[in-house]
Amino acid sequence: MSQKVKFSSVSGSHFYATLRSRVDQFFSQHQLSQHANGHMWGKTVFFLTGFIGIYLVIISGLLPTWMLLPLAVVLGMFSAFVGFNVCHDAIHGALSGNKKVNKLFGFIFNLIGANPYVWSITHNVVHHTYTNIPGHDEDIEVAPGLIRIAEEDEVNRIQRYQHWYAFPLYSLASLSWVFRKDFVKFFQKKIGAHQNKHPKLEYFNLFFYKALYYFLFIILPLLVLDVSWWQFLIGFLFLHIAEGLTMGLVFQLAHVVEGTNFPVPNETGQIEEAWAEHQMRTTANFATHNKLAAFFLGGLNRQIEHHLFPKVCHIHYGKISVIVKKTAMEFNLPYIENKSFLSALYSHFLTLKKFGKEAAVN
Protein backbone atom coordinates (compact mmCIF):
# COMPACT_ATOMS: atom_id res chain seq x y z
CA MET A 1 0.00 0.00 0.00
CA SER A 2 2.95 2.33 0.54
CA GLN A 3 4.13 1.97 -3.05
CA LYS A 4 2.69 4.53 -5.43
CA VAL A 5 1.06 3.08 -8.52
CA LYS A 6 1.79 4.48 -11.95
CA PHE A 7 -0.01 3.76 -15.19
CA SER A 8 1.61 3.48 -18.59
CA SER A 9 1.87 6.78 -20.42
CA VAL A 10 -1.34 7.93 -22.07
CA SER A 11 0.74 8.43 -25.22
CA GLY A 12 0.94 4.65 -25.38
CA SER A 13 -2.75 4.47 -26.18
CA HIS A 14 -4.95 6.72 -28.29
CA PHE A 15 -8.14 5.22 -26.88
CA TYR A 16 -8.99 7.87 -24.31
CA ALA A 17 -7.87 10.78 -26.47
CA THR A 18 -10.14 9.54 -29.27
CA LEU A 19 -13.03 8.86 -26.92
CA ARG A 20 -12.69 12.21 -25.13
CA SER A 21 -12.70 14.03 -28.47
CA ARG A 22 -15.82 12.20 -29.65
CA VAL A 23 -17.74 12.81 -26.43
CA ASP A 24 -16.79 16.50 -26.41
CA GLN A 25 -17.92 16.72 -30.02
CA PHE A 26 -21.25 15.09 -29.11
CA PHE A 27 -22.01 17.73 -26.46
CA SER A 28 -20.85 20.53 -28.77
CA GLN A 29 -22.88 19.38 -31.78
CA HIS A 30 -26.05 18.98 -29.73
CA GLN A 31 -25.39 22.19 -27.78
CA LEU A 32 -25.74 20.33 -24.50
CA SER A 33 -24.20 21.09 -21.14
CA GLN A 34 -22.32 18.20 -19.54
CA HIS A 35 -24.06 19.06 -16.27
CA ALA A 36 -27.66 18.64 -15.08
CA ASN A 37 -30.57 19.33 -17.42
CA GLY A 38 -34.25 19.84 -16.58
CA HIS A 39 -34.88 16.12 -16.19
CA MET A 40 -31.98 15.82 -13.76
CA TRP A 41 -33.22 18.70 -11.62
CA GLY A 42 -36.65 17.05 -11.61
CA LYS A 43 -35.04 13.86 -10.26
CA THR A 44 -33.20 15.89 -7.65
CA VAL A 45 -36.45 17.46 -6.43
CA PHE A 46 -38.18 14.06 -6.40
CA PHE A 47 -35.55 12.27 -4.31
CA LEU A 48 -34.97 15.12 -1.88
CA THR A 49 -38.71 15.68 -1.41
CA GLY A 50 -39.20 11.96 -0.83
CA PHE A 51 -36.33 11.75 1.65
CA ILE A 52 -37.35 14.83 3.65
CA GLY A 53 -41.06 14.07 3.42
CA ILE A 54 -40.76 10.49 4.69
CA TYR A 55 -38.54 11.64 7.56
CA LEU A 56 -41.02 14.35 8.59
CA VAL A 57 -43.95 11.95 8.41
CA ILE A 58 -42.11 9.48 10.67
CA ILE A 59 -41.19 12.01 13.37
CA SER A 60 -44.57 13.76 13.21
CA GLY A 61 -46.00 11.11 15.51
CA LEU A 62 -49.25 11.13 13.54
CA LEU A 63 -49.01 7.54 12.34
CA PRO A 64 -49.65 4.34 14.31
CA THR A 65 -46.50 2.54 15.43
CA TRP A 66 -47.00 -0.42 13.07
CA MET A 67 -46.66 1.91 10.05
CA LEU A 68 -43.30 3.32 11.14
CA LEU A 69 -41.26 0.20 10.37
CA PRO A 70 -42.10 -0.02 6.63
CA LEU A 71 -41.60 3.75 6.38
CA ALA A 72 -38.16 3.36 7.99
CA VAL A 73 -37.25 0.82 5.30
CA VAL A 74 -38.41 3.18 2.54
CA LEU A 75 -36.48 6.03 4.17
CA GLY A 76 -33.36 3.88 4.15
CA MET A 77 -33.77 3.17 0.45
CA PHE A 78 -34.42 6.86 -0.28
CA SER A 79 -31.27 7.73 1.66
CA ALA A 80 -29.30 5.51 -0.73
CA PHE A 81 -31.10 6.99 -3.76
CA VAL A 82 -30.29 10.54 -2.63
CA GLY A 83 -26.66 9.49 -2.34
CA PHE A 84 -26.68 7.86 -5.78
CA ASN A 85 -28.57 10.54 -7.69
CA VAL A 86 -27.75 13.83 -5.99
CA CYS A 87 -24.73 13.75 -3.70
CA HIS A 88 -22.59 11.46 -5.86
CA ASP A 89 -22.82 13.77 -8.88
CA ALA A 90 -22.42 16.88 -6.74
CA ILE A 91 -19.26 15.67 -4.99
CA HIS A 92 -17.78 14.75 -8.37
CA GLY A 93 -18.54 18.28 -9.60
CA ALA A 94 -20.89 16.85 -12.24
CA LEU A 95 -24.25 18.18 -11.05
CA SER A 96 -23.56 21.81 -11.88
CA GLY A 97 -20.89 23.98 -13.47
CA ASN A 98 -21.09 26.13 -10.34
CA LYS A 99 -18.81 24.89 -7.53
CA LYS A 100 -21.01 26.46 -4.86
CA VAL A 101 -24.07 24.57 -6.14
CA ASN A 102 -22.12 21.31 -6.11
CA LYS A 103 -20.91 22.00 -2.57
CA LEU A 104 -24.46 22.77 -1.41
CA PHE A 105 -25.89 19.52 -2.75
CA GLY A 106 -22.81 17.58 -1.67
CA PHE A 107 -23.50 18.81 1.87
CA ILE A 108 -26.67 16.70 1.88
CA PHE A 109 -24.39 13.66 2.17
CA ASN A 110 -24.06 14.58 5.86
CA LEU A 111 -27.81 14.12 6.28
CA ILE A 112 -27.62 10.48 5.21
CA GLY A 113 -24.82 9.88 7.70
CA ALA A 114 -21.74 10.11 5.46
CA ASN A 115 -18.96 12.69 5.31
CA PRO A 116 -18.59 14.28 1.83
CA TYR A 117 -14.96 15.27 2.41
CA VAL A 118 -13.84 11.74 3.33
CA TRP A 119 -15.87 10.34 0.45
CA SER A 120 -14.18 12.71 -2.00
CA ILE A 121 -10.84 11.19 -0.98
CA THR A 122 -11.74 7.51 -0.74
CA HIS A 123 -13.96 7.51 -3.83
CA ASN A 124 -13.10 10.40 -6.16
CA VAL A 125 -9.34 10.27 -5.67
CA VAL A 126 -8.44 6.73 -4.62
CA HIS A 127 -11.15 4.47 -6.09
CA HIS A 128 -11.39 6.28 -9.41
CA THR A 129 -7.61 6.27 -9.84
CA TYR A 130 -6.70 2.80 -8.53
CA THR A 131 -9.88 0.91 -9.44
CA ASN A 132 -9.81 -2.76 -8.34
CA ILE A 133 -6.10 -2.67 -7.46
CA PRO A 134 -5.73 -4.74 -4.27
CA GLY A 135 -4.17 -2.80 -1.41
CA HIS A 136 -4.92 0.55 -3.07
CA ASP A 137 -8.64 0.64 -3.87
CA GLU A 138 -10.24 0.56 -0.42
CA ASP A 139 -13.74 0.72 -1.93
CA ILE A 140 -13.43 -3.00 -2.77
CA GLU A 141 -12.24 -3.92 0.73
CA VAL A 142 -15.49 -5.15 2.25
CA ALA A 143 -14.91 -6.93 5.57
CA PRO A 144 -11.21 -7.82 4.99
CA GLY A 145 -10.51 -11.38 6.06
CA LEU A 146 -14.14 -12.36 5.59
CA ILE A 147 -14.73 -11.35 1.96
CA ARG A 148 -12.11 -12.37 -0.61
CA ILE A 149 -12.43 -11.00 -4.16
CA ALA A 150 -8.84 -11.01 -5.44
CA GLU A 151 -5.91 -13.43 -5.50
CA GLU A 152 -3.91 -11.15 -3.19
CA ASP A 153 -6.61 -10.95 -0.50
CA GLU A 154 -6.05 -12.55 2.89
CA VAL A 155 -7.12 -16.19 2.94
CA ASN A 156 -9.49 -17.54 5.58
CA ARG A 157 -11.17 -20.94 5.32
CA ILE A 158 -14.53 -19.47 6.31
CA GLN A 159 -14.47 -17.68 2.96
CA ARG A 160 -15.64 -20.89 1.27
CA TYR A 161 -19.09 -19.82 2.47
CA GLN A 162 -18.73 -16.16 1.50
CA HIS A 163 -21.16 -16.37 -1.41
CA TRP A 164 -23.87 -16.91 1.23
CA TYR A 165 -22.87 -14.61 4.07
CA ALA A 166 -21.58 -11.69 1.93
CA PHE A 167 -25.05 -10.30 1.31
CA PRO A 168 -26.02 -9.95 5.00
CA LEU A 169 -22.65 -8.26 5.52
CA TYR A 170 -23.44 -5.75 2.76
CA SER A 171 -26.54 -4.74 4.70
CA LEU A 172 -24.28 -3.50 7.52
CA ALA A 173 -22.46 -1.07 5.21
CA SER A 174 -24.57 1.95 6.15
CA LEU A 175 -24.28 1.34 9.91
CA SER A 176 -20.52 1.04 9.52
CA TRP A 177 -20.44 4.27 7.52
CA VAL A 178 -22.42 6.21 10.10
CA PHE A 179 -20.57 5.04 13.21
CA ARG A 180 -17.14 3.83 12.08
CA LYS A 181 -15.92 4.15 8.50
CA ASP A 182 -15.61 7.93 8.18
CA PHE A 183 -13.73 8.21 11.47
CA VAL A 184 -11.34 5.38 10.59
CA LYS A 185 -10.58 6.72 7.11
CA PHE A 186 -10.21 10.29 8.35
CA PHE A 187 -7.58 9.39 10.95
CA GLN A 188 -5.64 6.90 8.82
CA LYS A 189 -2.21 8.20 7.82
CA LYS A 190 -2.89 6.95 4.31
CA ILE A 191 -5.84 5.82 2.23
CA GLY A 192 -4.22 3.50 -0.26
CA ALA A 193 -1.21 5.48 -1.44
CA HIS A 194 -2.91 8.81 -0.71
CA GLN A 195 -1.30 10.70 2.17
CA ASN A 196 -3.94 12.17 4.48
CA LYS A 197 -3.45 15.80 5.48
CA HIS A 198 -6.72 17.49 6.38
CA PRO A 199 -7.62 21.19 6.70
CA LYS A 200 -8.52 22.08 10.30
CA LEU A 201 -12.08 22.94 9.26
CA GLU A 202 -12.67 19.33 8.23
CA TYR A 203 -12.03 18.12 11.79
CA PHE A 204 -14.89 20.33 12.94
CA ASN A 205 -17.12 19.30 10.02
CA LEU A 206 -16.60 15.61 10.70
CA PHE A 207 -17.67 15.74 14.34
CA PHE A 208 -20.29 18.48 14.04
CA TYR A 209 -22.25 16.91 11.18
CA LYS A 210 -22.00 13.42 12.64
CA ALA A 211 -23.48 14.86 15.84
CA LEU A 212 -26.21 16.55 13.79
CA TYR A 213 -27.06 13.22 12.14
CA TYR A 214 -27.17 11.44 15.50
CA PHE A 215 -29.50 14.14 16.82
CA LEU A 216 -31.86 14.02 13.82
CA PHE A 217 -32.03 10.24 13.51
CA ILE A 218 -31.55 9.02 17.08
CA ILE A 219 -32.17 11.65 19.75
CA LEU A 220 -35.07 13.57 18.15
CA PRO A 221 -37.13 10.46 17.25
CA LEU A 222 -36.69 9.15 20.80
CA LEU A 223 -37.86 12.50 22.17
CA VAL A 224 -40.94 13.01 20.00
CA LEU A 225 -42.19 9.52 19.17
CA ASP A 226 -44.32 7.45 21.50
CA VAL A 227 -42.20 4.30 21.07
CA SER A 228 -40.04 2.25 23.42
CA TRP A 229 -36.25 2.18 23.02
CA TRP A 230 -36.37 -1.33 21.54
CA GLN A 231 -39.02 -0.36 19.00
CA PHE A 232 -36.88 2.60 17.97
CA LEU A 233 -33.80 0.36 17.73
CA ILE A 234 -35.59 -2.07 15.41
CA GLY A 235 -36.71 0.80 13.16
CA PHE A 236 -33.24 2.35 13.11
CA LEU A 237 -31.63 -1.00 12.25
CA PHE A 238 -34.15 -1.68 9.47
CA LEU A 239 -33.52 1.78 8.02
CA HIS A 240 -29.79 1.12 7.79
CA ILE A 241 -30.12 -2.48 6.64
CA ALA A 242 -32.25 -1.26 3.72
CA GLU A 243 -29.82 1.56 2.96
CA GLY A 244 -26.72 -0.63 3.35
CA LEU A 245 -28.00 -3.47 1.20
CA THR A 246 -29.06 -1.05 -1.55
CA MET A 247 -25.64 0.64 -1.54
CA GLY A 248 -23.62 -2.54 -1.16
CA LEU A 249 -25.24 -4.41 -4.02
CA VAL A 250 -25.00 -1.51 -6.47
CA PHE A 251 -21.30 -0.90 -5.77
CA GLN A 252 -20.36 -4.60 -5.89
CA LEU A 253 -22.19 -5.28 -9.16
CA ALA A 254 -20.10 -2.59 -10.86
CA HIS A 255 -16.67 -4.03 -10.05
CA VAL A 256 -16.87 -7.54 -8.61
CA VAL A 257 -18.43 -9.65 -11.37
CA GLU A 258 -17.15 -12.15 -13.91
CA GLY A 259 -14.81 -10.56 -16.43
CA THR A 260 -13.53 -7.70 -14.27
CA ASN A 261 -9.82 -7.72 -13.41
CA PHE A 262 -7.95 -7.08 -10.17
CA PRO A 263 -4.52 -6.14 -11.57
CA VAL A 264 -1.37 -6.02 -9.49
CA PRO A 265 1.42 -3.50 -10.19
CA ASN A 266 4.87 -4.85 -11.08
CA GLU A 267 7.93 -4.51 -8.84
CA THR A 268 8.33 -0.83 -9.73
CA GLY A 269 4.66 -0.01 -9.06
CA GLN A 270 3.75 0.12 -12.75
CA ILE A 271 0.42 -0.97 -14.25
CA GLU A 272 1.19 -2.08 -17.79
CA GLU A 273 -1.61 -0.16 -19.48
CA ALA A 274 -3.00 3.35 -19.67
CA TRP A 275 -5.48 4.50 -17.02
CA ALA A 276 -8.52 4.50 -19.34
CA GLU A 277 -7.78 0.98 -20.57
CA HIS A 278 -7.46 -0.09 -16.95
CA GLN A 279 -10.98 1.29 -16.29
CA MET A 280 -12.39 -0.78 -19.15
CA ARG A 281 -10.98 -3.98 -17.63
CA THR A 282 -12.03 -3.33 -14.04
CA THR A 283 -15.52 -1.87 -14.43
CA ALA A 284 -18.87 -3.29 -15.52
CA ASN A 285 -22.34 -2.04 -16.43
CA PHE A 286 -25.64 -3.73 -15.67
CA ALA A 287 -29.33 -3.31 -16.51
CA THR A 288 -28.53 -0.45 -18.87
CA HIS A 289 -31.85 -0.72 -20.73
CA ASN A 290 -33.95 -0.82 -17.57
CA LYS A 291 -35.69 2.55 -17.10
CA LEU A 292 -36.26 1.99 -13.38
CA ALA A 293 -32.54 1.27 -12.85
CA ALA A 294 -31.65 4.37 -14.85
CA PHE A 295 -33.97 6.50 -12.70
CA PHE A 296 -33.15 5.17 -9.23
CA LEU A 297 -29.45 4.27 -9.43
CA GLY A 298 -28.03 7.62 -10.49
CA GLY A 299 -26.07 6.22 -13.42
CA LEU A 300 -24.19 3.74 -11.20
CA ASN A 301 -25.48 0.92 -13.39
CA ARG A 302 -23.49 2.63 -16.19
CA GLN A 303 -20.28 2.50 -14.22
CA ILE A 304 -18.03 2.38 -17.30
CA GLU A 305 -19.21 5.77 -18.50
CA HIS A 306 -19.04 7.13 -14.97
CA HIS A 307 -15.41 6.07 -14.47
CA LEU A 308 -14.32 7.48 -17.80
CA PHE A 309 -16.29 10.73 -17.42
CA PRO A 310 -16.89 11.34 -13.68
CA LYS A 311 -17.46 15.07 -14.22
CA VAL A 312 -20.29 14.45 -16.69
CA CYS A 313 -23.74 14.31 -15.06
CA HIS A 314 -25.14 10.77 -15.04
CA ILE A 315 -28.27 11.93 -16.89
CA HIS A 316 -26.16 11.87 -20.10
CA TYR A 317 -24.58 8.42 -19.68
CA GLY A 318 -27.15 6.63 -21.81
CA LYS A 319 -26.37 8.80 -24.84
CA ILE A 320 -22.59 8.76 -24.54
CA SER A 321 -22.54 5.00 -23.86
CA VAL A 322 -23.06 4.39 -27.58
CA ILE A 323 -19.86 6.33 -28.29
CA VAL A 324 -17.93 4.57 -25.50
CA LYS A 325 -18.94 1.09 -26.63
CA LYS A 326 -18.15 1.78 -30.29
CA THR A 327 -14.75 3.27 -29.48
CA ALA A 328 -13.88 0.38 -27.15
CA MET A 329 -14.62 -2.10 -29.94
CA GLU A 330 -12.39 -0.15 -32.34
CA PHE A 331 -9.49 -0.41 -29.89
CA ASN A 332 -10.14 -4.08 -29.02
CA LEU A 333 -11.00 -3.24 -25.43
CA PRO A 334 -13.65 -5.05 -23.38
CA TYR A 335 -16.99 -3.46 -22.62
CA ILE A 336 -18.25 -5.58 -19.73
CA GLU A 337 -21.97 -5.54 -19.09
CA ASN A 338 -24.69 -7.71 -17.63
CA LYS A 339 -28.05 -7.32 -19.29
CA SER A 340 -30.10 -7.24 -16.10
CA PHE A 341 -29.78 -6.67 -12.37
CA LEU A 342 -30.41 -10.36 -11.70
CA SER A 343 -27.75 -11.51 -14.17
CA ALA A 344 -25.26 -9.13 -12.56
CA LEU A 345 -26.26 -10.39 -9.12
CA TYR A 346 -25.71 -13.99 -10.22
CA SER A 347 -22.36 -13.08 -11.75
CA HIS A 348 -21.31 -11.48 -8.45
CA PHE A 349 -22.49 -14.60 -6.59
CA LEU A 350 -20.34 -16.80 -8.88
CA THR A 351 -17.33 -14.51 -8.41
CA LEU A 352 -17.65 -14.75 -4.63
CA LYS A 353 -18.01 -18.52 -4.91
CA LYS A 354 -14.93 -18.78 -7.12
CA PHE A 355 -12.63 -16.88 -4.76
CA GLY A 356 -14.18 -18.67 -1.78
CA LYS A 357 -13.34 -22.08 -3.27
CA GLU A 358 -9.77 -20.96 -3.94
CA ALA A 359 -9.47 -19.92 -0.29
CA ALA A 360 -10.75 -23.32 0.85
CA VAL A 361 -8.11 -25.09 -1.28
CA ASN A 362 -5.34 -22.90 0.12
Side-chain angles (χ1 to χ4, degrees):
M1 288 180 66
S2 60
Q3 185 184 49
K4 190 169 184 179
V5 173
K6 297 179 180 178
F7 294 93
S8 294
S9 173
V10 177
S11 62
S13 169
H14 298 294
F15 166 66
Y16 193 58
T18 302
L19 178 60
R20 176 84 260 182
S21 174
R22 290 175 177 177
V23 170
D24 287 344
Q25 187 177 28
F26 166 81
F27 282 106
S28 177
Q29 285 182 344
H30 292 84
Q31 297 183 332
L32 294 174
S33 166
Q34 295 187 9
H35 302 295
N37 57 17
H39 180 53
M40 179 60 204
W41 288 116
K43 284 182 64 175
T44 300
V45 170
F46 172 80
F47 286 113
L48 290 180
T49 301
F51 172 70
I52 296 169
I54 295 166
Y55 172 79
L56 292 176
V57 167
I58 289 175
I59 66 165
S60 70
L62 297 175
L63 297 179
T65 303
W66 66 269
M67 290 188 64
L68 299 182
L69 186 59
L71 275 180
V73 171
V74 176
L75 180 60
M77 295 179 70
F78 259 81
S79 298
F81 296 147
V82 166
F84 294 161
N85 288 276
V86 183
C87 304
H88 185 229
D89 273 28
I91 296 171
H92 271 295
L95 186 64
S96 170
N98 188 315
K99 290 183 179 180
K100 291 182 179 179
V101 172
N102 286 322
K103 188 173 183 178
L104 174 65
F105 283 93
F107 163 84
I108 297 168
F109 218 42
N110 291 295
L111 300 181
I112 60 175
N115 182 275
Y117 170 74
V118 174
W119 171 255
S120 70
I121 298 173
T122 61
H123 182 77
N124 293 16
V125 177
V126 177
H127 171 65
H128 271 260
T129 304
Y130 308 113
T131 311
N132 276 26
I133 300 178
H136 292 269
D137 181 4
E138 296 193 16
D139 267 19
I140 63 171
E141 293 182 6
V142 179
L146 290 176
I147 303 292
R148 181 175 184 263
I149 56 173
E151 299 287 348
E152 290 67 33
D153 284 350
E154 177 185 347
V155 172
N156 187 329
R157 286 187 63 82
I158 196 176
Q159 292 161 347
R160 63 186 184 273
Y161 305 114
Q162 68 176 6
H163 51 295
W164 297 116
Y165 66 69
F167 299 97
L169 280 181
Y170 295 160
S171 68
L172 302 178
S174 180
L175 279 171
S176 174
W177 211 333
V178 167
F179 292 110
R180 175 186 173 275
K181 180 180 175 180
D182 281 334
F183 296 109
V184 170
K185 298 299 182 185
F186 189 89
F187 288 103
Q188 281 181 194
K189 290 184 178 180
K190 289 184 176 181
I191 299 176
H194 177 83
Q195 189 78 39
N196 273 343
K197 189 176 181 181
H198 311 303
K200 291 181 180 179
L201 178 62
E202 295 303 337
Y203 287 84
F204 170 81
N205 287 342
L206 176 66
F207 288 99
F208 177 80
Y209 289 114
K210 284 290 184 182
L212 176 63
Y213 180 84
Y214 300 152
F215 172 77
L216 291 174
F217 285 85
I218 299 176
I219 297 174
L220 186 60
L222 283 170
L223 289 175
V224 301
L225 293 179
D226 185 21
V227 296
S228 62
W229 67 267
W230 61 267
Q231 289 174 317
F232 164 78
L233 182 60
I234 291 173
F236 186 78
L237 289 175
F238 268 72
L239 183 157
H240 281 285
I241 287 170
E243 183 178 352
L245 190 59
T246 304
M247 292 191 310
L249 287 179
V250 170
F251 289 141
Q252 292 299 311
L253 300 190
H255 295 288
V256 188
V257 292
E258 295 167 298
T260 55
N261 291 347
F262 299 87
V264 178
N266 62 23
E267 298 79 6
T268 63
Q270 185 85 12
I271 294 288
E272 299 298 333
E273 60 186 352
W275 171 83
E277 294 180 358
H278 171 81
Q279 298 303 319
M280 299 302 295
R281 301 185 193 279
T282 57
T283 309
N285 288 354
F286 64 92
T288 53
H289 298 294
N290 187 310
K291 291 183 179 180
L292 285 177
F295 184 80
F296 283 101
L297 301 186
L300 294 181
N301 62 319
R302 292 190 179 273
Q303 196 80 188
I304 295 172
E305 287 70 30
H306 171 60
H307 269 252
L308 293 172
F309 300 98
K311 292 190 178 297
V312 172
C313 181
H314 76 263
I315 207 74
H316 304 296
Y317 290 168
K319 292 180 179 177
I320 69 172
S321 66
V322 178
I323 303 171
V324 175
K325 190 171 186 177
K326 179 182 177 182
T327 308
M329 291 177 64
E330 289 178 14
F331 283 83
N332 276 328
L333 289 171
Y335 188 90
I336 306 166
E337 59 181 334
N338 286 289
K339 298 299 182 184
S340 68
F341 175 83
L342 289 179
S343 63
L345 190 64
Y346 184 60
S347 182
H348 177 60
F349 176 85
L350 293 178
T351 302
L352 289 172
K353 190 174 182 180
K354 170 181 178 292
F355 283 109
K357 280 186 175 180
E358 289 178 3
V361 171
N362 293 331

